[in-house]
Amino acid sequence: MTPVPVKMEDLRALIAGVLEVEPEEVTDEAHFSDELEIDSLLMLEIATRVETVFGVPENTIVIGGATTLAELHTFVVSKVVGATSAGPVIRPRPLSDPAMRLFLFHHAGGSHLLYRGWADHFPQDWELCLLEAPGRGRLQTLPLIDDCDRLVDHFHTAIAPLLDRPFGFFGHSMGALIAYQLTRRLHRQRAPLPDWLGVSAYGAPRGEAGADSRRHLMSDDELRGWLRNVGGSPPQLLDDDAVWRQFAPVFRNDFKLVDTWAPPPDPEPLPVPLSVFAGRCDQLIGEDRLLAWQTFTTHFGGLESYEGDHFYVMDQRRPLAAAITAAMRASAA
């Protein structure tokens, strides 16, 4: 089926119809909740209509977190364009012969949208590859994967043809675990290794279970409260019961993957330069756990901290991209 063209004016008229206002009142940059007074129920209705009209995968609009018409238009266009491919690798700026590829792995309960807009901050001859786990976004019809090794298998199969030039891995939170395990997989198989590995907001593996090792078993109220404290999730996702019921299985699935993963008893340090990144106000990971990564690599690049909490990456794209670029260039030299 040919995708329906996504015009800004059509989205404006759709939102105005739901709000029962004139289209000109829905300006490009008017904030949905602050200026247009769109609550979670109205946002759910808007999301449903947009998904129906433009053929966007079900349940992706709310989790996308758009806060203005301009952001919503950009997001819908990306979903319609991306609908022509159902693979787990999203390349915002495809290149026929990139000098470098950077693979980005998202957090638990999230999607490739964590890295929306990142390509603008990297060298023009680099190709960014955003990984999408099954069960969300355009892969929503695929079953969720709650086992670390199986998700590594899934991603390994997808990216294998793309490892034909220098590349690096960067993962945030759960994504850091996946990036680390995928690097170990490549090392064991004597396959091409990343020139550099970046782990963000995730502590080095340890034998004993942590305080949050049973998150997937929490009650709904406990889990929603925990997610509110951590941040990074749109309020309408946590505050609206109908929306929460749609996305709770994804959170529980991903937390089960992390919580039940068994660290290797005595892992061999990876012959790959490894750098660690974190938010200074992250209440989930202590500095000791972050610095402990140095025993898992033969080339430790140190710890870089930024203003922010567990989801500091959302507000620090430009300096973080600069740090990643510098680290990858130094490692590939």
Side-chain angles (χ1 to χ4, degrees):
M1 186 176 69
T2 302
V4 177
V6 183
K7 298 179 180 179
M8 181 83 83
E9 293 310 310
D10 292 338
L11 281 175
R12 192 189 318 277
L14 184 151
I15 294 174
V18 173
L19 300 181
E20 298 182 350
V21 299
E22 294 301 318
E24 55 267 24
E25 295 183 46
V26 184
T27 61
D28 293 2
E29 301 298 336
H31 194 279
F32 284 164
S33 58
D34 295 343
E35 298 174 65
L36 298 178
E37 299 183 348
I38 298 176
D39 60 19
S40 58
L41 290 178
L42 284 173
M43 192 63 211
L44 183 60
E45 183 177 350
I46 291 170
T48 301
R49 292 195 187 186
V50 170
E51 290 160 358
T52 301
V53 171
F54 296 100
V56 178
E58 187 180 359
N59 299 331
T60 59
I61 298 297
V62 172
I63 193 66
T67 59
T68 66
L69 174 62
E71 289 183 5
L72 180 62
H73 180 255
T74 299
F75 176 69
V76 174
V77 168
S78 72
K79 301 310 291 183
V80 170
V81 172
T84 59
S85 173
V89 183
I90 295 92
R91 293 187 280 180
R93 192 177 60 204
L95 299 176
S96 59
D97 187 27
M100 183 87 71
R101 284 195 174 105
L102 175 61
F103 296 88
L104 301 170
F105 301 82
H106 64 74
H107 58 293
S111 71
H112 77 279
L113 294 175
L114 176 68
Y115 302 111
R116 179 175 51 188
W118 274 44
D120 296 337
H121 303 296
F122 285 88
Q124 290 296 307
D125 60 350
W126 286 26
E127 184 175 72
L128 267 62
C129 299
L130 286 50
L131 278 295
E132 183 98 283
R136 64 211 79 201
R138 65 183 187 177
L139 302 182
Q140 189 175 15
T141 58
L142 298 180
L144 294 161
I145 296 177
D146 63 5
D147 177 81
C148 183
D149 288 338
R150 288 199 295 116
L151 186 55
V152 167
D153 288 340
H154 179 78
F155 285 148
H156 186 195
T157 299
I159 72 171
L162 301 175
L163 307 183
D164 59 345
R165 63 201 60 236
F167 66 94
F169 289 161
F170 177 87
H172 179 72
S173 200
M174 179 186 78
L177 168 60
I178 301 302
Y180 168 68
Q181 281 294 87
L182 182 50
T183 304
R184 291 185 67 236
R185 171 78 58 83
L186 296 174
H187 183 46
R188 288 198 307 271
Q189 296 182 356
R190 301 183 183 276
L193 290 174
D195 289 307
W196 175 83
L197 170 63
V199 294
S200 168
Y202 191 84
R206 59 183 181 183
E208 73 276 13
D212 295 320
S213 63
R214 310 300 290 174
R215 290 167 298 188
H216 65 292
L217 299 178
M218 288 180 177
S219 69
D220 271 4
D221 287 344
E222 290 174 328
L223 185 54
R224 289 160 89 170
W226 187 90
L227 289 168
R228 285 191 186 93
N229 291 334
V230 173
S233 299
Q236 60 265 35
L237 186 154
L238 300 176
D239 297 338
D240 186 276
D241 290 342
V243 177
W244 170 251
R245 283 194 295 271
Q246 295 172 359
F247 293 101
V250 177
F251 282 104
R252 291 191 183 281
N253 174 89
D254 291 356
F255 286 140
K256 181 180 179 183
L257 182 153
V258 176
D259 295 346
T260 61
W261 176 66
D266 189 20
E268 175 186 359
L270 291 169
V272 174
L274 185 154
S275 304
V276 183
F277 303 87
R280 294 192 182 97
C281 298
D282 191 340
Q283 301 298 312
L284 298 182
I285 309 296
E287 186 174 298
D288 57 336
R289 291 280 314 284
L290 296 167
L291 291 174
W293 276 109
Q294 60 190 302
T295 64
F296 290 80
T297 175
T298 57
H299 303 84
F300 185 57
L303 166 64
E304 293 202 26
S305 299
Y306 298 82
E307 289 301 322
D309 54 19
H310 191 67
F311 284 95
Y312 74 96
V313 292
M314 294 181 175
D315 299 317
Q316 302 292 341
R317 286 187 299 181
R318 188 180 297 275
L320 187 53
I324 292 172
T325 301
M328 286 187 63
R329 282 176 167 165
S331 299

